[in-house]
Amino acid sequence: MQYWLMKSEPTTYGIDQLMQCPKQTDTWDGIRNYQARNFMRHQMTPGDLAFFYHSSCQVPAIVGTMKIVSTAYPDSTALDPNSPYYDPKATIDNPRWFMVDVQLQTKFTQPITLQTLRQDTRLQSMLLLQRGCRLSIQPVLPEHWQIILEYNCS
DNA sequence: GCCAACGTTGGC
DNA sequence: GCCAACGTTGGC
């Protein structure tokens, strides 16, 4: 069982959209970065938990938690010419990109902002906080997971 | 909107 | 396989 952090721009797909889905479950599609894809393909397991992170917005923040509820399978948006995530190099036989299903677990009453995370010296080694880290799916250490969750109780 | 940092592409 | 050029991410 592993912990993750998954980024999304709220103007494209925010936590409220996930909340409104049937069973609060949806596909996490559109990942077009090999490192992020490989995490999904080879390391994510149903039952893993992930932070939902809002990026490229006024207040970048962790806004809730999700559960991974499927293994990785081909990302259909890569095959759809009408999708903004269309990739002409993807084929049925060689899908190139993958996605997983996620289910919303909790939406935090207060977003835990990037600024808050940066101020906590215990979190200094988090990938998210490293200079220039653009990885949109990244592992989170169990101790970091716990520390961050405590912010939701205070 | 700026720009630093990073990832990808493609010629050689 | 190198690396310059280009595209993207994402905080500020």
Side-chain angles (χ1 to χ4, degrees), chain A residues 16-91:
Chain A
D16 291 334
Q17 273 158 279
L18 178 56
M19 194 157 58
Q20 282 161 20
C21 289
K23 298 183 186 173
Q24 304 193 326
T25 299
D26 203 358
T27 55
W28 198 270
D29 56 34
I31 298 298
R32 297 293 179 267
N33 168 282
Y34 286 107
Q35 215 182 337
R37 181 203 70 176
N38 291 340
F39 278 131
M40 283 198 293
R41 264 184 101 172
H42 301 128
Q43 284 184 249
M44 265 190 188
T45 311
D48 285 359
L49 298 176
F51 287 129
F52 195 131
Y53 179 80
H54 280 176
S55 65
S56 291
C57 54
Q58 277 199 347
V59 186
I62 294 173
V63 292
T65 64
M66 307 179 277
K67 186 191 282 184
I68 309 303
V69 292
S70 80
T71 52
Y73 58 101
D75 183 340
S76 51
T77 64
L79 299 169
D80 175 5
N82 295 318
S83 168
Y85 303 118
Y86 177 61
D87 180 353
K89 291 182 181 167
T91 62

Side-chain angles (χ1 to χ4, degrees), chain A residues 15-16 19 54 63-65 104-111 152:
Chain A
I15 193 166
D16 291 334
M19 194 157 58
H54 280 176
V63 292
T65 64
L104 183 67
Q105 192 177 241
T106 11
K107 179 183 170 180
F108 294 157
T109 46
Q110 286 276 84
N152 187 44

Side-chain angles (χ1 to χ4, degrees), chain A residues 121-132:
Chain A
T121 54
R122 299 170 298 173
L123 300 175
Q124 270 176 359
S125 65
M126 272 192 87
L127 269 179
L128 179 72
L129 306 181
Q130 305 314 302
R131 179 186 182 80

